[in-house]
Amino acid sequence: MTDREGSRWVRGRTALAAFVVVTALAAGGVWFGQASDRASAVDAAPKTSAVQDVKEDAKEPGGLPGVRDCGIGKRAVKPHVIRLTCADAGMVATAIRWKVYGAREAYGAGVVQVEKTAAGAGGDAGFPATFRLYGPKPVDGTLLFTGLEVRYEGSTPLGDTTEMYNLA
């Protein structure tokens, strides 16, 4: 009788261990699944300059430098989207929220969207980043930031942690 009770105890312990492992894997899957939902929500962010018409403030701040999409078009102050690669729009800074937007520099955070053609093999991807606009100068009669520094938080599309872009 002792052998039987011992084997039941071992089977019960094995079943409990299997239950714990399956539960942990399921919880991890839910957690990772939510992360991909957040990433796809960011991937669905608009990648054109059309969203520049969205105004945070009712009036446009006077005297502050702006940004023109790829150096052409209408000037946008506190833009929510900035194209990084103008030839194919393969890399676009999106969902930008400006923490500081001044006359000399601006600091914000958002996501760099990379289309699969720019990223190589695989699908489209989003990379969290911080942004710094700098170098305000008069260009064609309007004050514009001429440079953009992108610092990635974690993985990067091209392997660099920091990238610099000429905006004018």
Side-chain angles (χ1 to χ4, degrees):
M1 201 137 150
T2 308
D3 290 336
R4 218 177 209 187
E5 288 177 17
S7 66
R8 281 188 199 166
W9 187 77
V10 170
R11 280 185 287 179
R13 201 169 89 184
T14 303
L16 179 63
F19 175 76
V20 168
V21 168
V22 168
T23 303
L25 290 174
V30 168
W31 186 76
F32 280 117
Q34 289 174 346
S36 68
D37 288 345
R38 287 189 300 270
S40 32
V42 170
D43 287 342
K47 297 180 182 179
T48 66
S49 60
V51 297
Q52 301 301 353
D53 293 334
V54 176
K55 301 275 190 260
E56 278 188 15
D57 303 322
K59 60 180 184 173
E60 187 171 309
L64 290 177
V67 175
R68 287 195 310 194
D69 196 28
C70 291
I72 57 173
K74 186 178 174 185
R75 174 180 89 107
V77 176
K78 296 184 180 181
H80 297 286
V81 175
I82 301 173
R83 271 195 285 177
L84 303 177
T85 56
C86 295
D88 63 359
M91 291 179 64
V92 180
T94 62
I96 303 172
R97 296 283 176 221
W98 298 103
K99 294 176 176 132
V100 175
Y101 199 98
R104 293 183 182 198
E105 290 183 315
Y107 297 92
V111 176
V112 174
Q113 296 292 326
V114 181
E115 292 184 6
K116 61 181 150 190
T117 55
D124 296 352
F127 300 89
T130 57
F131 306 100
R132 179 177 73 97
L133 292 169
Y134 62 92
K137 292 183 183 172
V139 177
D140 297 331
T142 186
L143 189 60
L144 299 173
F145 283 114
T146 59
L148 173 65
E149 176 183 2
V150 178
R151 284 190 183 270
Y152 293 98
E153 302 170 7
S155 63
T156 67
L158 302 175
D160 298 325
T161 57
T162 303
E163 295 173 351
M164 307 298 275
Y165 295 91
N166 184 3
L167 299 177

